[in-house]
Amino acid sequence: MNGFTILRSVQHYVGRIRTVRNEIRTQRFLNTLPADIRKDIGWPDLYDGRVREN
């Protein structure tokens, strides 16, 4: 492995961590919304169905 390949691997790993942290932050925010608003936007039902498909 050359230095460029290692750098790309680290960047990919950091990007995945950033994505997971952003998803967790978004889930926490959506869970703080009132129940009627969550129901209107389909949270968490639509999200759970989308996550299971991937």
Side-chain angles (χ1 to χ4, degrees):
M1 289 179 89
N2 60 23
F4 184 70
T5 305
I6 294 171
L7 179 61
R8 284 186 62 202
S9 296
V10 170
Q11 287 175 333
H12 179 73
Y13 179 72
V14 169
R16 298 277 298 178
I17 291 173
R18 184 175 295 136
T19 300
V20 169
R21 290 186 69 197
N22 287 338
E23 288 178 0
I24 290 169
R25 187 177 299 126
T26 301
Q27 289 176 10
R28 286 182 184 159
F29 171 74
L30 290 171
N31 286 333
T32 64
L33 293 173
D36 56 335
I37 293 176
R38 287 189 311 230
K39 183 180 177 188
D40 288 344
I41 63 174
W43 179 258
D45 299 332
L46 291 176
Y47 176 79
D48 288 340
R50 201 174 70 211
V51 169
R52 283 190 218 122
E53 290 175 3
N54 292 333

